[in-house]
Amino acid sequence: MADSTNRNHPTRRDFLKGAALTSGMIATAASGAAAADLGVSDTAPPNKRRPNVLMICADQFRADFIGASHKNSSVKTPHIDALAERGMNFRQCISNQPLCSPSRASFLTSRYATEAGVWRLGLELDHSLPTIATEFRKNGYSANFIGKWHVSATDGRKNLGWIPPGPSRGGFDDLWEGANVLELVSHPYEGNYWDNDGKNIGFKDEYRVDFIANRAVQFIERQHDKPWLLFLSQLEPHHQNDVDEFVPPKRYEDKYIDPYIPTDLRNLLGNWRSRIPGYYGCVQAIDDCVGTLVETLQRTGQLDNTIILFFSDHGCTFRTRMGEYKRSPHEPSIHVPFVIAGPGFDRSCVIDEVVSLIDMMPTLLDGAGLTLPASLRGKSLKKLGESAQARKNWDSTAYFQISQSICGRGIRTRDWSYCVFDPAVKNGQAESSAHYQDFVLYSIADDPNESLNLVGRPEYREIADQLRQELASRIVAAGEAETTIEPIHYYA
């Protein structure tokens, strides 16, 4: 197993230069009364020694759209790149369920989506499970949320907006503002948005990413009497559902007319030809947001004591796979960015071991020096930056579930991606199955674009048998019942 790649640690000046605000970026919001309007309570005693934690989630953000990670000549992410240079850049992070709600339920609890009670859209998180927020709050932190939630039950168009006080906040009981399903109650330049008291403050004539980032700026600028956890959840670059478009800010509307096309898309049908320019603009807006937040942390004297995590819940296939943007076992869907920097993580290294989003909660708790609940499925990633031996001993296998397109289960290793499904379950409308069959087998090492499905080919039967056995054991280890997996003996 290859060791991580270490680089010379950038200086503080270099890092701040990379995180500086550029022209046309988000204006700094006013502090003072505006910040107090966020309504965060301060009841626990101060604890200056523990780091703050900032989680920045960009919805549907492809892993190969970070300049520091991949050879993409068009993408511009200098602020995310600066985080990657300073901290730990996990280049092989897998979403355990590439769909908004199940993915969020999984990483918030470090349990698989079926265990967390949200295996498809529209379901409510199992509130008996500890979450990132409940654990930090139990240890003297304030737990705060801003943006898109999407981990609460919906009935038709009910409960798409503000989440009332109580368990539906998932433990983010100090500040909770935004909307449950933000893409259905807003558009890129106007929409509904609920504050901490349930008042619809809305926004208009301001780009959605900028508006949400400025709300986070106000939170960071206020006086904090105890360490804080902030989960900032941006909708972009997720497509705007009702128009099926990736809508960039006006400042980037015409910037990506003829951009670089990732190699996995070029030979496949889909809507990437018309949609990818807007996607690039949304990605750059997200990077602007990261730069704004880092600059605010620096200006307020909190940067050196804040763990910053940038990640996504799932990727984007541009409908090249199974007609889906996500909901598929393919790399552009399950492969996500995961970049972490700050106290304990400033290792200036690239990590190529396979990890998954289920490792997020234990990593952040470990980084803050807190005790990990025994119920967690994931493992802390912090040690992977500390020694070659830790990387050598790491189990580079990620288990994932697929729903609402197929009822599927899969594993992703350093070299292989393998998934099974139940063809009798239509549209994936079942939580699990007692009987699966082979669906896809790809050689990640030799065919990273997954252009050739190797399932059923006799020359790969031995590796398929090994992966099938491993997957069966992972299904049980994830708390599911034993299943049968039938091999496919013929291929197209």
Side-chain angles (χ1 to χ4, degrees), residues 2-7 87 91 347-352 391:
D3 289 344
S4 305
T5 302
N6 291 285
R7 301 181 293 267
R91 293 195 299 192
R347 300 286 180 174
S348 190
C349 64
V350 170
I351 306 292
D352 279 325
R391 296 188 291 273

Side-chain angles (χ1 to χ4, degrees), residues 63-96:
D64 58 350
F65 271 62
I66 293 181
S69 299
H70 299 271
K71 297 177 181 178
N72 185 326
S73 58
S74 292
V75 73
K76 292 178 175 58
T77 55
H79 307 103
I80 301 172
D81 295 350
L83 284 180
E85 289 290 327
R86 175 190 175 197
M88 297 171 67
N89 182 7
F90 292 87
R91 293 195 299 192
Q92 299 292 328
C93 183
I94 302 301
S95 172
N96 302 103

Side-chain angles (χ1 to χ4, degrees), residues 78-196:
H79 307 103
I80 301 172
D81 295 350
L83 284 180
E85 289 290 327
R86 175 190 175 197
M88 297 171 67
N89 182 7
F90 292 87
R91 293 195 299 192
Q92 299 292 328
C93 183
I94 302 301
S95 172
N96 302 103
Q97 227 282 27
L99 181 59
C100 298
S101 299
S103 179
R104 291 158 190 263
S106 181
F107 68 66
L108 285 172
T109 61
S110 189
R111 301 290 286 267
Y112 293 102
T114 49
E115 297 179 292
V118 188
W119 60 272
R120 61 171 173 81
L121 301 178
L123 299 179
E124 183 79 9
L125 182 68
D126 180 353
H127 300 298
S128 70
L129 297 174
T131 69
I132 290 177
T134 62
E135 292 309 296
F136 271 95
R137 205 163 190 268
K138 186 168 68 177
N139 285 278
Y141 278 72
S142 70
N144 312 279
F145 171 81
I146 294 175
K148 170 183 171 174
W149 181 238
H150 216 173
V151 201
S152 290
T154 57
D155 178 15
R157 292 192 61 83
K158 296 179 181 178
N159 204 16
L160 301 179
W162 180 67
I163 303 301
S168 287
R169 292 188 177 208
F172 291 95
D173 292 334
D174 294 282
L175 169 68
W176 196 105
E177 64 166 52
N180 185 27
V181 192
L182 187 61
E183 59 265 44
L184 298 185
V185 297
S186 69
H187 288 93
Y189 273 93
E190 58 83 24
N192 299 300
Y193 187 93
W194 287 264
D195 69 10
N196 201 46

Side-chain angles (χ1 to χ4, degrees), residues 137-264:
R137 205 163 190 268
K138 186 168 68 177
N139 285 278
Y141 278 72
S142 70
N144 312 279
F145 171 81
I146 294 175
K148 170 183 171 174
W149 181 238
H150 216 173
V151 201
S152 290
T154 57
D155 178 15
R157 292 192 61 83
K158 296 179 181 178
N159 204 16
L160 301 179
W162 180 67
I163 303 301
S168 287
R169 292 188 177 208
F172 291 95
D173 292 334
D174 294 282
L175 169 68
W176 196 105
E177 64 166 52
N180 185 27
V181 192
L182 187 61
E183 59 265 44
L184 298 185
V185 297
S186 69
H187 288 93
Y189 273 93
E190 58 83 24
N192 299 300
Y193 187 93
W194 287 264
D195 69 10
N196 201 46
D197 297 320
K199 178 183 177 182
N200 188 353
I201 60 176
F203 63 98
K204 189 175 183 180
D205 299 328
E206 183 177 13
Y207 190 57
R208 183 165 47 200
V209 171
D210 301 351
F211 171 79
I212 291 173
N214 279 330
R215 297 296 295 180
V217 166
Q218 292 178 38
F219 169 82
I220 294 170
E221 287 180 333
R222 71 184 301 274
Q223 289 295 113
H224 296 279
D225 294 331
K226 56 183 176 179
W228 49 263
L229 164 71
L230 174 60
F231 177 16
L232 177 65
S233 178
Q234 292 280 13
L235 174 59
E236 275 72 17
H238 190 290
H239 61 288
Q240 181 64 39
N241 293 46
D242 56 346
V243 295
D244 192 21
E245 295 277 357
F246 298 91
V247 184
K250 294 175 183 177
R251 60 186 179 269
Y252 300 138
E253 273 184 347
D254 301 319
K255 189 168 183 178
Y256 297 99
I257 301 301
D258 182 25
Y260 171 87
I261 305 300
T263 55
D264 66 279

